[in-house]
Amino acid sequence: MGGEIRFGVSTLERWLARARQSPDPAAFLATVPRLDAGSVRVISEPLAQAIRTQYADRPKWNIQLHYDNLRLVFGANEFPSYATVLRFFRAQGLWRVRDPRGGPQRTAVPDGTREVRSFEATHVGALFHLDGHQGSLKVLNRQGEWITPIALGVIDDHSRLQEFDAELAQETLAKGCPHCGEKLHRAYYPRKPRGIPDDLWQAFSFRFSFCCSRCRRRSTSESMRFLGRKVYVGLVVVLASCCRGRIHAWFSRVSASTGVSLRTLHRWRSFWRKTFPSTSFWREARGRFMPLPDPAAFPLSLCQSFGGSDTEQTVACLRFLKPITIGPMIMISEG
């Protein structure tokens, strides 16, 4: 639409001659829809009914598998091409149903044979999750024997920020592309986080993000691990800025555990106390708090506005700051 189009002189002369002979030239030159518009001539009614029945029984099959089975039933001589069958599936809205790749949709549905519980840990090392699975490929051991390895995974329950981000990513994936509404594909991008122990580096080494299957535009979900483009994780940015006591004494404690420089710490404190209170996000969100936290003591006063223990206050603050981790709401400089 809106592109350049050209017609030959003979075509224009033919249209003009016919328009002069017609009592209504405008109606003659209008686009006339085909009599068979909206119908598929090659797909017969028995074949269409067989496609609907097979799709109802096997909605998780791909189109190629549907096509191969239908071709065996109706014969390969007069059966339509794969492209024709594919167009019929799309026109009828017979899309493939896919299982969720993970998240609460798969694991939080009890089948009645076991008890499902949820645990929360308040500190590192309080609770561990162990899971083992057989590998898909065999390996050769030192004795020259091919064996199937068993992969054992151990995760600290206190590393719940990644699980929170995974749930946010599932919500973004379920909504589809915000620009055209099409399906999103996984397109995570790596991060090089700072300020965390080496044993937690793997959990912060990537950011959940997706790419549209049609317009190819990126859609990044909200995060509780990363605060914008800062190389330090969001937890460190919030906790290190919660200055308790004299700044130099507090810096000694923060620098020993996270490696943050004094210049970076001053820049963060300036952001929380000068830039953040003047943003549109805070002007709209501050109505949720009563009494209003003191901006001169941000982010410590903001964390203390939430109830619970210190850990629960920090998690609640990170959850509150989710909207500023994506989009142009707040321009957060790197560091």
Coordinates of all heavy atoms in Angstrom, one line a residue, residues 33-97:
P33 N -14.7 -8.7 -6.5 CA -14.2 -9.8 -5.8 C -14.5 -11.1 -6.6 O -15.5 -11.2 -7.3 CB -14.9 -9.8 -4.5 CG -16.2 -9.1 -4.7 CD -15.8 -8.0 -5.8
R34 N -13.6 -12.1 -6.4 CA -13.8 -13.4 -7.1 C -14.9 -14.1 -6.5 O -15.3 -14.0 -5.3 CB -12.5 -14.2 -7.0 CG -11.3 -13.6 -7.7 CD -10.1 -14.5 -7.5 NE -10.3 -15.9 -7.7 CZ -9.4 -16.8 -7.9 NH1 -8.1 -16.4 -7.8 NH2 -9.7 -18.1 -8.0
L35 N -15.6 -14.9 -7.3 CA -16.7 -15.7 -6.9 C -16.3 -16.8 -5.9 O -17.1 -17.1 -5.0 CB -17.5 -16.3 -8.1 CG -18.1 -15.3 -9.1 CD1 -18.7 -16.1 -10.2 CD2 -19.1 -14.4 -8.4
D36 N -15.1 -17.2 -6.0 CA -14.6 -18.3 -5.1 C -13.8 -17.7 -3.9 O -13.0 -18.5 -3.3 CB -13.8 -19.4 -5.8 CG -12.7 -18.8 -6.6 OD1 -12.6 -17.5 -6.6 OD2 -11.8 -19.5 -7.1
A37 N -13.9 -16.4 -3.6 CA -13.1 -15.8 -2.6 C -13.5 -16.4 -1.2 O -14.6 -16.6 -0.9 CB -13.3 -14.3 -2.6
G38 N -12.4 -16.7 -0.4 CA -12.7 -17.3 0.9 C -12.8 -18.8 0.9 O -12.9 -19.4 2.0
S39 N -12.7 -19.4 -0.2 CA -12.8 -20.9 -0.3 C -11.6 -21.5 -0.9 O -10.9 -20.8 -1.7 CB -14.1 -21.3 -1.1 OG -14.0 -20.8 -2.4
V40 N -11.3 -22.7 -0.6 CA -10.1 -23.4 -1.1 C -10.6 -24.5 -2.1 O -11.3 -25.4 -1.7 CB -9.3 -24.0 0.0 CG1 -8.0 -24.7 -0.5 CG2 -8.9 -23.0 1.1
R41 N -10.4 -24.3 -3.3 CA -10.9 -25.2 -4.3 C -10.2 -26.6 -4.3 O -10.9 -27.6 -4.5 CB -10.7 -24.6 -5.7 CG -11.5 -23.3 -6.0 CD -11.2 -22.7 -7.3 NE -9.8 -22.2 -7.3 CZ -9.2 -21.8 -8.4 NH1 -9.8 -21.7 -9.6 NH2 -7.9 -21.4 -8.4
V42 N -9.0 -26.6 -3.9 CA -8.2 -27.9 -3.9 C -8.6 -28.7 -2.7 O -8.7 -29.9 -2.8 CB -6.7 -27.6 -4.0 CG1 -6.0 -28.9 -4.0 CG2 -6.4 -26.8 -5.2
I43 N -8.9 -28.1 -1.6 CA -9.3 -28.8 -0.4 C -10.8 -29.2 -0.4 O -11.6 -28.3 -0.3 CB -9.0 -27.9 0.9 CG1 -7.5 -27.5 0.9 CG2 -9.4 -28.7 2.2 CD1 -6.6 -28.6 1.1
S44 N -11.0 -30.4 -0.6 CA -12.4 -30.9 -0.6 C -13.0 -30.9 0.8 O -12.3 -30.8 1.8 CB -12.5 -32.3 -1.3 OG -11.8 -33.2 -0.5
E45 N -14.3 -31.0 0.8 CA -15.0 -31.1 2.1 C -14.6 -32.3 3.0 O -14.4 -32.1 4.2 CB -16.5 -31.0 1.9 CG -17.3 -30.9 3.2 CD -16.9 -29.6 4.0 OE1 -16.6 -28.6 3.4 OE2 -17.0 -29.7 5.2
P46 N -14.5 -33.5 2.4 CA -14.0 -34.6 3.2 C -12.6 -34.4 3.8 O -12.3 -34.7 4.9 CB -14.1 -35.8 2.2 CG -15.1 -35.4 1.2 CD -14.9 -34.0 1.0
L47 N -11.7 -33.8 2.9 CA -10.4 -33.5 3.4 C -10.4 -32.5 4.5 O -9.6 -32.6 5.5 CB -9.5 -33.1 2.2 CG -8.0 -32.7 2.6 CD1 -7.3 -33.9 3.3 CD2 -7.3 -32.3 1.3
A48 N -11.2 -31.4 4.3 CA -11.3 -30.4 5.4 C -11.8 -31.0 6.7 O -11.3 -30.6 7.8 CB -12.2 -29.3 4.9
Q49 N -12.8 -31.8 6.6 CA -13.3 -32.4 7.8 C -12.3 -33.4 8.5 O -12.1 -33.4 9.7 CB -14.6 -33.2 7.5 CG -15.3 -33.8 8.7 CD -15.7 -32.7 9.7 OE1 -16.1 -31.6 9.3 NE2 -15.7 -33.0 11.0
A50 N -11.5 -34.1 7.7 CA -10.4 -34.9 8.2 C -9.3 -34.1 8.9 O -8.8 -34.5 9.9 CB -9.8 -35.8 7.1
I51 N -9.0 -33.0 8.3 CA -8.0 -32.1 8.9 C -8.5 -31.6 10.3 O -7.7 -31.6 11.2 CB -7.7 -30.9 8.0 CG1 -7.0 -31.4 6.7 CG2 -6.9 -29.8 8.7 CD1 -6.7 -30.3 5.7
R52 N -9.7 -31.2 10.4 CA -10.3 -30.7 11.6 C -10.3 -31.8 12.7 O -10.0 -31.6 13.8 CB -11.6 -30.1 11.4 CG -11.7 -28.8 10.5 CD -13.0 -28.2 10.5 NE -13.1 -27.1 9.5 CZ -13.6 -27.2 8.3 NH1 -14.0 -28.4 7.9 NH2 -13.6 -26.2 7.5
T53 N -10.7 -33.0 12.3 CA -10.8 -34.1 13.2 C -9.4 -34.5 13.7 O -9.2 -34.7 14.9 CB -11.4 -35.3 12.5 OG1 -12.7 -34.9 12.1 CG2 -11.6 -36.4 13.5
Q54 N -8.4 -34.6 12.8 CA -7.1 -34.9 13.2 C -6.4 -33.9 14.1 O -5.7 -34.2 15.0 CB -6.2 -35.2 11.9 CG -4.8 -35.6 12.3 CD -4.0 -36.0 11.0 OE1 -4.1 -37.2 10.6 NE2 -3.2 -35.1 10.5
Y55 N -6.7 -32.6 13.8 CA -6.2 -31.5 14.6 C -6.8 -31.6 16.0 O -6.1 -31.3 17.0 CB -6.4 -30.2 14.0 CG -6.0 -29.0 14.8 CD1 -4.7 -28.6 14.9 CD2 -6.9 -28.3 15.6 CE1 -4.3 -27.5 15.7 CE2 -6.5 -27.3 16.4 CZ -5.2 -26.9 16.4 OH -4.8 -25.8 17.2
A56 N -8.1 -31.9 16.1 CA -8.7 -32.0 17.4 C -8.1 -33.1 18.3 O -8.0 -33.0 19.5 CB -10.2 -32.2 17.3
D57 N -7.7 -34.2 17.6 CA -7.1 -35.3 18.3 C -5.6 -35.1 18.6 O -5.1 -35.5 19.6 CB -7.3 -36.6 17.5 CG -8.7 -37.0 17.3 OD1 -9.5 -36.6 18.2 OD2 -9.0 -37.7 16.3
R58 N -4.9 -34.4 17.7 CA -3.5 -34.2 17.9 C -3.1 -32.7 17.7 O -2.5 -32.3 16.7 CB -2.7 -35.1 16.8 CG -2.9 -36.5 17.0 CD -2.2 -37.1 18.2 NE -2.3 -38.5 18.3 CZ -3.2 -39.3 18.8 NH1 -4.3 -38.6 19.3 NH2 -3.2 -40.6 18.8
P59 N -3.5 -31.9 18.6 CA -3.2 -30.4 18.4 C -1.7 -30.1 18.6 O -1.3 -29.0 18.2 CB -4.0 -29.7 19.5 CG -4.2 -30.8 20.6 CD -4.2 -32.1 19.9
K60 N -0.9 -31.0 19.1 CA 0.5 -30.7 19.3 C 1.4 -31.1 18.2 O 2.6 -30.9 18.2 CB 1.0 -31.4 20.6 CG 0.3 -30.9 21.9 CD 0.9 -31.6 23.1 CE 0.1 -31.1 24.4 NZ 0.6 -31.8 25.6
W61 N 0.8 -31.7 17.1 CA 1.5 -32.1 16.0 C 1.9 -30.8 15.1 O 1.1 -29.9 15.1 CB 0.7 -33.1 15.1 CG 0.7 -34.5 15.6 CD1 1.3 -34.9 16.7 CD2 0.2 -35.6 14.9 NE1 1.1 -36.3 16.9 CE2 0.4 -36.7 15.8 CE3 -0.5 -35.8 13.8 CZ2 0.0 -38.0 15.5 CZ3 -0.9 -37.1 13.4 CH2 -0.7 -38.2 14.3
N62 N 3.0 -30.9 14.5 CA 3.3 -29.8 13.5 C 2.6 -30.1 12.2 O 2.0 -31.1 12.0 CB 4.8 -29.7 13.3 CG 5.5 -31.0 12.9 OD1 4.8 -31.8 12.2 ND2 6.7 -31.2 13.2
I63 N 2.6 -29.1 11.3 CA 1.9 -29.2 10.0 C 2.4 -30.3 9.2 O 1.7 -31.0 8.5 CB 1.9 -27.8 9.3 CG1 1.5 -26.7 10.3 CG2 1.0 -27.9 8.1 CD1 0.1 -26.9 10.8
Q64 N 3.7 -30.5 9.2 CA 4.3 -31.5 8.3 C 3.9 -32.9 8.8 O 3.6 -33.8 7.9 CB 5.9 -31.4 8.4 CG 6.6 -32.4 7.5 CD 6.4 -32.1 6.0 OE1 6.6 -31.0 5.6 NE2 6.0 -33.1 5.3
L65 N 3.7 -33.1 10.1 CA 3.3 -34.4 10.6 C 1.8 -34.6 10.2 O 1.4 -35.7 9.8 CB 3.5 -34.5 12.1 CG 3.2 -35.9 12.7 CD1 4.1 -36.9 12.1 CD2 3.5 -35.8 14.2
H66 N 1.0 -33.6 10.3 CA -0.4 -33.7 9.8 C -0.5 -34.0 8.4 O -1.3 -34.9 7.9 CB -1.1 -32.4 10.1 CG -1.6 -32.2 11.5 ND1 -2.6 -32.9 12.1 CD2 -1.2 -31.3 12.5 CE1 -2.7 -32.5 13.4 NE2 -1.9 -31.6 13.6
Y67 N 0.4 -33.3 7.6 CA 0.3 -33.5 6.1 C 0.7 -35.0 5.8 O 0.1 -35.6 4.9 CB 1.3 -32.5 5.5 CG 1.4 -32.7 4.0 CD1 0.5 -32.1 3.2 CD2 2.5 -33.3 3.4 CE1 0.5 -32.2 1.8 CE2 2.6 -33.5 2.0 CZ 1.6 -32.9 1.2 OH 1.7 -33.0 -0.1
D68 N 1.8 -35.5 6.4 CA 2.2 -36.9 6.1 C 1.1 -37.9 6.4 O 0.9 -38.9 5.6 CB 3.5 -37.2 6.8 CG 4.7 -36.3 6.3 OD1 4.6 -35.8 5.2 OD2 5.6 -36.1 7.1
N69 N 0.5 -37.8 7.5 CA -0.6 -38.7 7.9 C -1.8 -38.6 7.0 O -2.4 -39.6 6.6 CB -1.0 -38.5 9.4 CG 0.0 -39.1 10.3 OD1 -0.1 -40.2 10.8 ND2 1.1 -38.3 10.7
L70 N -2.2 -37.4 6.7 CA -3.3 -37.3 5.8 C -3.0 -37.8 4.4 O -3.9 -38.3 3.7 CB -3.8 -35.8 5.7 CG -4.3 -35.2 7.0 CD1 -4.5 -33.7 6.9 CD2 -5.7 -35.8 7.3
R71 N -1.8 -37.6 3.9 CA -1.4 -38.1 2.6 C -1.5 -39.6 2.5 O -1.8 -40.2 1.5 CB 0.0 -37.6 2.3 CG 0.4 -37.8 0.8 CD 1.7 -37.2 0.5 NE 2.1 -37.3 -0.9 CZ 3.2 -36.9 -1.4 NH1 4.1 -36.3 -0.6 NH2 3.5 -37.1 -2.7
L72 N -1.1 -40.3 3.6 CA -1.2 -41.7 3.6 C -2.7 -42.2 3.6 O -3.0 -43.3 3.0 CB -0.6 -42.3 4.9 CG 1.0 -42.1 5.0 CD1 1.5 -42.6 6.3 CD2 1.6 -42.9 3.8
V73 N -3.6 -41.4 4.2 CA -5.0 -41.8 4.2 C -5.7 -41.6 2.9 O -6.4 -42.5 2.3 CB -5.7 -41.1 5.3 CG1 -7.2 -41.4 5.3 CG2 -5.2 -41.4 6.7
F74 N -5.4 -40.4 2.3 CA -6.1 -40.1 1.0 C -5.4 -40.4 -0.2 O -5.9 -40.3 -1.3 CB -6.4 -38.5 1.0 CG -7.5 -38.1 1.9 CD1 -7.2 -37.8 3.2 CD2 -8.8 -38.0 1.5 CE1 -8.2 -37.4 4.1 CE2 -9.8 -37.6 2.3 CZ -9.5 -37.3 3.7
G75 N -4.1 -40.9 -0.1 CA -3.3 -41.2 -1.3 C -2.5 -40.1 -1.7 O -2.9 -38.9 -1.6
A76 N -1.4 -40.4 -2.4 CA -0.4 -39.4 -2.8 C -0.6 -38.9 -4.2 O 0.0 -37.9 -4.6 CB 1.0 -39.9 -2.6
N77 N -1.5 -39.5 -5.0 CA -1.7 -39.1 -6.4 C -2.4 -37.8 -6.6 O -1.9 -36.9 -7.2 CB -2.4 -40.2 -7.1 CG -1.7 -41.5 -7.2 OD1 -0.4 -41.5 -7.2 ND2 -2.4 -42.7 -7.2
E78 N -3.6 -37.6 -6.0 CA -4.4 -36.4 -6.1 C -4.4 -35.6 -4.9 O -5.3 -34.7 -4.7 CB -5.8 -36.8 -6.5 CG -5.9 -37.6 -7.8 CD -7.3 -37.9 -8.2 OE1 -8.2 -37.6 -7.4 OE2 -7.5 -38.4 -9.3
F79 N -3.5 -35.8 -4.0 CA -3.4 -35.0 -2.7 C -2.8 -33.6 -3.0 O -1.8 -33.5 -3.7 CB -2.6 -35.7 -1.7 CG -2.9 -35.3 -0.3 CD1 -4.1 -35.6 0.4 CD2 -2.0 -34.5 0.4 CE1 -4.3 -35.2 1.7 CE2 -2.2 -34.0 1.7 CZ -3.4 -34.4 2.3
P80 N -3.4 -32.6 -2.4 CA -2.8 -31.2 -2.6 C -1.4 -31.1 -2.1 O -0.9 -31.9 -1.3 CB -3.8 -30.3 -1.9 CG -4.5 -31.1 -1.0 CD -4.6 -32.5 -1.5
S81 N -0.7 -30.0 -2.5 CA 0.6 -29.8 -2.0 C 0.7 -29.4 -0.6 O -0.3 -29.0 0.1 CB 1.3 -28.7 -2.9 OG 0.6 -27.5 -2.7
Y82 N 1.9 -29.4 0.0 CA 2.1 -29.0 1.4 C 1.7 -27.5 1.6 O 1.2 -27.1 2.6 CB 3.5 -29.3 1.8 CG 3.9 -28.7 3.2 CD1 3.5 -29.4 4.3 CD2 4.6 -27.5 3.3 CE1 3.8 -28.9 5.6 CE2 4.9 -27.0 4.6 CZ 4.5 -27.7 5.7 OH 4.8 -27.2 6.9
A83 N 2.1 -26.7 0.6 CA 1.8 -25.2 0.8 C 0.3 -25.0 0.8 O -0.2 -24.1 1.6 CB 2.4 -24.5 -0.4
T84 N -0.5 -25.7 0.1 CA -1.9 -25.6 0.1 C -2.5 -26.0 1.4 O -3.4 -25.3 2.0 CB -2.6 -26.4 -1.0 OG1 -2.0 -26.0 -2.3 CG2 -4.1 -26.2 -1.1
V85 N -2.0 -27.1 2.0 CA -2.5 -27.6 3.3 C -2.1 -26.6 4.4 O -2.9 -26.3 5.3 CB -2.0 -29.0 3.6 CG1 -2.4 -29.4 4.9 CG2 -2.5 -30.0 2.5
L86 N -0.9 -26.0 4.3 CA -0.4 -25.1 5.2 C -1.3 -23.8 5.2 O -1.6 -23.3 6.3 CB 1.0 -24.7 5.0 CG 1.7 -23.7 5.9 CD1 1.7 -24.1 7.3 CD2 3.1 -23.4 5.4
R87 N -1.6 -23.3 4.0 CA -2.5 -22.2 4.0 C -3.9 -22.4 4.6 O -4.5 -21.5 5.2 CB -2.7 -21.7 2.5 CG -1.4 -21.0 1.9 CD -1.8 -20.3 0.6 NE -2.2 -21.3 -0.4 CZ -1.4 -21.9 -1.2 NH1 -0.1 -21.6 -1.2 NH2 -1.9 -22.7 -2.1
F88 N -4.4 -23.6 4.4 CA -5.7 -24.0 5.0 C -5.6 -24.0 6.5 O -6.5 -23.5 7.2 CB -6.1 -25.4 4.5 CG -7.5 -25.8 5.0 CD1 -8.6 -25.4 4.5 CD2 -7.5 -26.7 6.1 CE1 -9.9 -25.7 5.0 CE2 -8.7 -27.1 6.6 CZ -9.9 -26.6 6.0
F89 N -4.5 -24.5 7.1 CA -4.4 -24.5 8.5 C -4.3 -23.1 9.1 O -5.0 -22.8 10.1 CB -3.1 -25.3 8.9 CG -3.2 -26.7 9.2 CD1 -3.2 -27.7 8.1 CD2 -3.4 -27.2 10.4 CE1 -3.4 -29.0 8.3 CE2 -3.6 -28.6 10.7 CZ -3.6 -29.5 9.6
R90 N -3.6 -22.2 8.4 CA -3.5 -20.9 8.9 C -4.8 -20.1 8.7 O -5.2 -19.3 9.6 CB -2.4 -20.1 8.1 CG -1.0 -20.7 8.4 CD 0.0 -19.9 7.6 NE 1.4 -20.4 8.0 CZ 2.5 -19.9 7.4 NH1 2.4 -19.1 6.4 NH2 3.7 -20.3 7.8
A91 N -5.6 -20.4 7.6 CA -6.8 -19.7 7.4 C -7.9 -20.1 8.4 O -8.7 -19.3 8.8 CB -7.3 -20.0 6.0
Q92 N -7.8 -21.4 8.8 CA -8.8 -21.9 9.8 C -8.3 -21.6 11.3 O -9.1 -22.0 12.2 CB -9.0 -23.4 9.6 CG -9.6 -23.8 8.2 CD -11.0 -23.2 8.1 OE1 -11.8 -23.3 9.0 NE2 -11.3 -22.7 6.9
G93 N -7.2 -21.1 11.5 CA -6.7 -20.8 12.8 C -6.3 -22.1 13.6 O -6.3 -22.1 14.8
L94 N -5.8 -23.1 12.8 CA -5.4 -24.4 13.4 C -3.9 -24.3 13.7 O -3.1 -24.9 13.1 CB -5.7 -25.5 12.5 CG -7.2 -25.6 12.1 CD1 -7.4 -26.8 11.1 CD2 -8.1 -25.7 13.3
W95 N -3.6 -23.6 14.8 CA -2.2 -23.4 15.1 C -1.7 -24.5 16.1 O -2.5 -25.1 16.8 CB -2.0 -22.1 15.8 CG -2.4 -20.9 15.0 CD1 -3.5 -20.2 15.1 CD2 -1.7 -20.3 13.9 NE1 -3.6 -19.2 14.2 CE2 -2.5 -19.2 13.4 CE3 -0.5 -20.6 13.3 CZ2 -2.1 -18.4 12.4 CZ3 -0.1 -19.8 12.2 CH2 -0.9 -18.7 11.8
R96 N -0.4 -24.8 16.0 CA 0.1 -25.9 16.9 C 0.1 -25.4 18.3 O 0.5 -24.3 18.7 CB 1.5 -26.2 16.4 CG 2.2 -27.3 17.2 CD 3.7 -27.5 16.8 NE 4.3 -28.5 17.5 CZ 5.6 -28.8 17.4 NH1 6.4 -28.1 16.5 NH2 6.2 -29.7 18.1
V97 N -0.3 -26.3 19.2 CA -0.4 -26.1 20.6 C 0.9 -26.6 21.2 O 1.3 -27.7 21.1 CB -1.6 -26.8 21.3 CG1 -1.6 -26.5 22.8 CG2 -2.9 -26.3 20.7

